[in-house]
Amino acid sequence: MKFTKITAAIFTVTLTALSLIACGDDSSGTAASNNPFSPTGGYVYQLSVNEATQTLIVSMSREVGDCALVDGEPQWLDGGIKVYADTNTYEFKGDTLILHTFKTYDDEVYDRKNFLIGKNNGRLYGTWEALLCDDDDDDGVQECSLSPYATETITFTQSTATVNFSLRENADFTKTDLAYYIVQALYNGSGFHEIYASDFDDQDQGGPEFDVFLQENNITYQKVSNKQANFTINGQVYTFSVTSAEESMESRLVEATVTTLSSTCYLKDFEEAISKETCNSRDIYDMSGFHECGIEYEPDSIVYNQLIHENHLTNIDEFRECIRSIAQQPSSDIPLLYKRAAKEAKPSKKNSWFAKF
């Protein structure tokens, strides 16, 4: 998910399902269930607004716990009821709502800003859609736009804030970073380690940069639909298809194929939050996801357990090897992991609060 759900971004009440909690974090714990959700599937927060000072307090009480590995079996450890609360200030600029959250790190105060657009005539109450924004330039100007792939909204009433997230049905998934790195690998045998399923809705290298890459290397692009395209490389036709793309507040599923006349490479990547229900049902797909973490159940009483916060089922390594096997050229000897690190380290085109899970 290219931007962290507003659940964890605008309100640093970190309830977004797939945001992992670091060991020793005093907010440690995973939501015990999907409550409290609205009928449409969004998170619902209690809200207190002071219009005179343009301040809002967001809060939620939620049952939490941890999924731990006990005697080799997943077991839910109840963490009781946790109350989350956060304070934001807000301002209006034209049709844009700017939410400010001030946090202190290493004795420095940072203003986390999030930008939303709406038609609420300068009033907080109503529905606002999140924007993706560049970092401030030297003049402090922020350039923002709607995400081409997903929509995330907050609806404010006088007592609640409801956050909803969904993919755009007609989004073009044929020129994303996932497609770009696959085509690059097929063309010159490099960048296999750059292929990540989570890039199915990102365009750091997709879009205009992808067009330049195709033109410079005489690769023919033929769009069949918003989820399928043919790429002709040195006379060989490769069909790239996104067969499933589902994303919600709690999970993500991506399925894609790359086919030739004689071969098919299939990718499946599923990620979901661990809840009390999934833990107790033993529905844990990747047992290697458990990691040692200390939990402070009482003051000065830390118990170390093997914990897991998400299920992640993926065949990405097999998919990369399959792409390697049908590529135009052999892979280079040097894995391009450093490029991935550089990509993640450079300033994001998006608001700094938004990041992939």
Side-chain angles (χ1 to χ4, degrees):
M1 301 171 196
K2 280 302 144 303
F3 37 33
T4 301
K5 307 293 187 294
I6 299 177
T7 314
I10 295 177
F11 316 133
T12 53
V13 177
T14 48
L15 297 180
T16 300
L18 297 174
S19 60
L20 299 186
I21 305 298
C23 291
D25 191 321
D26 59 10
S27 64
S28 180
T30 303
S33 68
N34 287 341
N35 290 326
F37 277 102
S38 72
T40 57
Y43 279 112
V44 181
Y45 296 89
Q46 300 305 307
L47 183 67
S48 175
V49 180
N50 185 327
E51 294 188 48
T53 60
Q54 293 193 311
T55 300
L56 54 88
I57 299 175
V58 187
S59 62
M60 177 187 287
S61 297
R62 197 168 192 188
E63 181 185 2
V64 299
D66 289 286
C67 188
L69 202 59
V70 179
D71 297 327
E73 289 291 327
Q75 179 178 319
W76 184 261
L77 306 178
D78 287 320
I81 301 296
K82 190 172 182 67
V83 178
Y84 299 88
D86 210 353
T87 300
N88 296 257
T89 62
Y90 64 92
E91 63 174 311
F92 302 101
K93 288 190 176 181
D95 59 1
T96 302
L97 169 66
I98 306 173
L99 295 177
H100 301 264
T101 301
F102 297 94
K103 295 295 178 181
T104 301
Y105 300 101
D106 297 328
D107 298 324
E108 289 191 40
V109 178
Y110 294 87
D111 176 11
R112 288 184 170 181
K113 291 177 288 190
N114 208 86
F115 297 78
L116 303 99
I117 191 168
K119 297 179 180 179
N120 300 313
N121 298 319
R123 286 180 53 81
L124 178 69
Y125 307 115
T127 297
W128 298 86
E129 184 171 356
L131 295 169
L132 302 182
C133 298
D134 290 323
D135 296 327
D136 292 345
D137 61 20
D138 294 336
D139 297 322
V141 176
Q142 200 116 22
E143 294 185 3
C144 301
S145 62
L146 292 172
S147 165
Y149 296 106
T151 176
E152 187 168 14
T153 62
I154 311 178
T155 300
F156 292 104
T157 69
Q158 292 185 336
S159 59
T160 63
T162 302
V163 180
N164 282 284
F165 174 90
S166 63
L167 292 176
R168 298 189 189 277
E169 291 184 4
N170 297 320
D172 186 355
F173 292 97
T174 66
K175 285 192 176 181
T176 63
D177 283 7
L178 175 60
Y180 171 82
Y181 287 116
I182 288 173
V183 172
Q184 175 185 262
L186 291 170
Y187 172 71
N188 59 22
S190 69
F192 291 97
H193 293 280
E194 299 282 352
I195 300 173
Y196 286 84
S198 55
D199 279 343
F200 83 103
D201 60 350
D202 196 5
Q203 260 195 2
D204 285 345
Q205 297 294 328
E209 291 190 44
F210 198 172
D211 290 334
V212 171
F213 175 82
L214 296 175
Q215 184 175 5
E216 289 180 344
N217 295 288
N218 296 315
I219 299 173
T220 302
Y221 164 81
Q222 179 188 18
K223 181 177 177 180
V224 179
S225 70
N226 67 315
K227 293 184 178 179
Q228 185 178 92
N230 296 323
F231 296 92
T232 304
I233 305 173
N234 296 326
Q236 172 70 62
V237 179
Y238 298 91
T239 300
F240 168 74
S241 304
V242 176
T243 55
S244 293
E246 301 173 13
E247 194 167 358
S248 70
M249 301 292 291
E250 298 281 330
S251 64
R252 181 193 67 222
L253 170 65
V254 180
E255 293 182 273
T257 60
V258 176
T259 60
T260 65
L261 290 176
S262 58
S263 302
T264 298
C265 297
Y266 170 66
L267 170 66
K268 182 173 183 177
D269 190 280
F270 175 70
E271 201 165 2
E272 69 171 350
I274 295 292
S275 66
K276 183 176 182 177
E277 290 78 14
T278 55
C279 181
N280 287 340
S281 69
R282 308 297 192 267
D283 191 16
I284 308 297
Y285 296 103
D286 184 3
M287 300 295 284
S288 66
F290 283 91
H291 61 283
E292 189 169 273
C293 190
I295 311 173
E296 185 174 344
Y297 288 104
E298 299 176 1
D300 302 321
S301 175
I302 297 179
V303 178
Y304 285 90
N305 285 290
Q306 295 289 320
L307 302 181
I308 190 168
H309 292 103
E310 66 176 19
N311 278 335
H312 192 191
L313 173 67
T314 183
N315 69 338
I316 187 65
D317 290 336
E318 292 84 354
F319 180 74
R320 289 168 177 164
E321 287 302 314
C322 184
I323 295 296
R324 187 194 305 270
S325 71
I326 62 173
Q328 293 280 305
Q329 299 181 31
S331 64
S332 58
D333 294 332
I334 303 175
L336 298 183
L337 292 176
Y338 72 92
K339 282 192 175 181
R340 183 71 177 187
K343 172 187 173 183
E344 293 176 348
K346 72 181 182 180
S348 173
K349 180 178 172 58
K350 305 167 185 63
N351 186 296
S352 60
W353 286 10
F354 294 119
K356 194 151 212 180
F357 72 72

